[in-house]
Amino acid sequence: MAYLNVHPQLLQALRTVLDTGSLTAAAERLGFTQSALSKQIATLETAAGTPLVRRGPRGVEPTEAGTRLAARAATILDQLDAARRELDDAAAPLDGRLALGGFPATAMELVPRAIARLRADHPSIRVGFLESSTLVQIRRLRAGRLDLALIAVGEGLPEYDLTGIELDRLPAGRLLVAVGRRHRLARADRVTVDDLAGEDWVAGRGGRSEPQFGAWPTLTGARVVAELGGWAARLGFVAAGLGIMTVPSLAAGILPADVVAIEVDDPAWTGRTLSLARIGALTPAGAAVRSALITEASAIAARSRPGPADQHRR
């Protein structure tokens, strides 16, 4: 019986290529040249005895064999990560160590503030943070790679399989629209969806399993002028007056000085919820992390947006 005996890096290479849909983007993410990454994929295909990817009109696409192997590779890589953690724990008992995951918007203010609070109140607790999409976090929770995960569920997001996962709902605040300080709406306290019609929009861009903030969710016929992978790039376009964008309240407190966040009156938008996910009982360290996250999420959600005059004096 023949076994697929390959280095885990080759499986990671395949996963990243399929996730990004591009050899160039995958090489940048992994820190390799495109040539080196192509050789890794070729080595894996040789070991597998069948083609795993093919170049299509929209970039690199998986073959049937590639799709099946990538699904197995995700489980294998997560199990290896979990094994590494267990070995580390055996050498140095946890004693307050915990792995937390969150989607990118949580890393802008909520997670840093919560970790800083923990360091002040419970210096023996050490939190490692992994940023990824909700779908990836759910997989890592099941694999034991994460102890806690901040996930978003609700309108416009996939229906994730949350079987066996316990959720604690956190205050999330409202979805907002961000505009440049010289934009015609910048001095408004609140706007309606009709006020947003005809605007140019800056949207997020990510991997296939990573939902992004686009134009206002209930606005029809929105014109997207730029799709950018990072928050800094998107906000840079907005600050320069090249478009507007949707932002969660989680990000409103650290917007650039040239960007203003505005509330939107939209009865059609049912919203999303921010939850802290886990499998099994909370450890004492986990309970402390949850408490810090709830405290900081509450403060962020309760923070009132300054009035137009105050915004322009800031």
Side-chain angles (χ1 to χ4, degrees):
M1 182 178 185
Y3 291 93
L4 183 61
N5 186 10
V6 297
H7 193 281
Q9 175 57 51
L10 302 185
L11 298 178
Q12 183 64 58
L14 175 64
R15 285 285 307 169
T16 306
V17 168
L18 299 191
D19 185 49
T20 60
S22 163
L23 283 170
T24 301
E28 290 177 355
R29 181 179 293 185
L30 294 172
F32 295 115
T33 65
Q34 184 173 333
S35 174
L37 184 60
S38 295
K39 290 179 180 178
Q40 292 181 30
I41 296 298
T43 299
L44 184 58
E45 290 180 322
T46 298
T50 185
L52 301 174
V53 299
R54 58 174 174 266
R55 292 186 180 273
R58 297 184 178 180
V60 177
E61 299 176 348
T63 63
E64 178 64 23
T67 298
R68 294 188 180 190
L69 181 57
R72 291 287 185 182
T75 300
I76 292 169
L77 292 169
D78 281 339
Q79 290 295 335
L80 287 173
D81 283 337
R84 179 70 268 170
R85 289 185 64 208
E86 290 178 359
L87 291 174
D88 290 343
D89 293 345
L94 276 175
D95 190 25
R97 291 172 50 198
L98 183 141
L100 170 68
F103 53 93
T106 66
M108 299 180 74
E109 186 174 15
L110 173 59
V111 170
R113 285 176 53 161
I115 293 177
R117 173 178 289 273
L118 278 166
R119 288 187 177 180
D121 296 344
H122 305 283
S124 63
I125 295 177
R126 289 291 178 264
V127 178
F129 179 68
L130 290 172
E131 177 190 295
S132 59
S133 67
T134 290
L135 183 62
V136 173
Q137 289 187 78
I138 292 171
R139 192 185 74 222
R140 288 174 172 169
L141 269 177
R142 297 192 192 283
R145 188 177 176 188
L146 291 178
D147 300 299
L148 297 171
L150 289 161
I151 66 173
V153 295
E155 186 173 342
L157 296 174
E159 294 186 4
Y160 303 111
D161 179 10
L162 299 174
T163 304
I165 294 177
E166 298 184 58
L167 301 177
D168 290 320
R169 184 169 177 174
L170 275 62
R174 304 186 61 178
L175 192 63
L176 309 170
V177 63
V179 306
R181 190 169 293 280
R182 296 182 180 179
H183 191 274
R184 65 181 181 87
L185 299 176
R187 293 182 177 273
D189 278 323
R190 305 169 73 90
V191 297
T192 67
V193 177
D194 289 341
D195 293 327
L196 304 177
E199 292 291 336
D200 291 337
W201 290 85
V202 178
R205 177 177 58 80
R208 290 170 177 148
S209 65
E210 301 173 359
Q212 298 290 323
F213 288 96
W216 187 260
T218 65
L219 183 67
T220 59
R223 182 173 58 248
V224 176
V225 297
E227 293 185 358
L228 304 167
W231 280 98
R234 283 176 254 168
L235 290 168
F237 269 60
V238 172
L242 301 178
I244 66 177
M245 63 185 285
T246 55
V247 295
S249 295
L250 288 173
I254 56 172
L255 295 178
D258 291 334
V259 176
V260 176
I262 304 170
E263 293 188 7
V264 180
D265 284 324
D266 185 3
W269 171 241
T270 59
R272 298 171 181 173
T273 61
L274 172 66
S275 296
L276 185 63
R278 70 181 190 277
I279 296 176
L282 279 171
T283 64
V289 172
R290 179 179 64 175
S291 177
L293 287 167
I294 291 174
T295 298
E296 295 302 334
S298 299
I300 292 171
R303 181 179 54 207
S304 60
R305 186 180 67 85
D310 291 335
Q311 288 178 336
H312 285 264
R313 285 196 298 268
R314 186 177 60 182

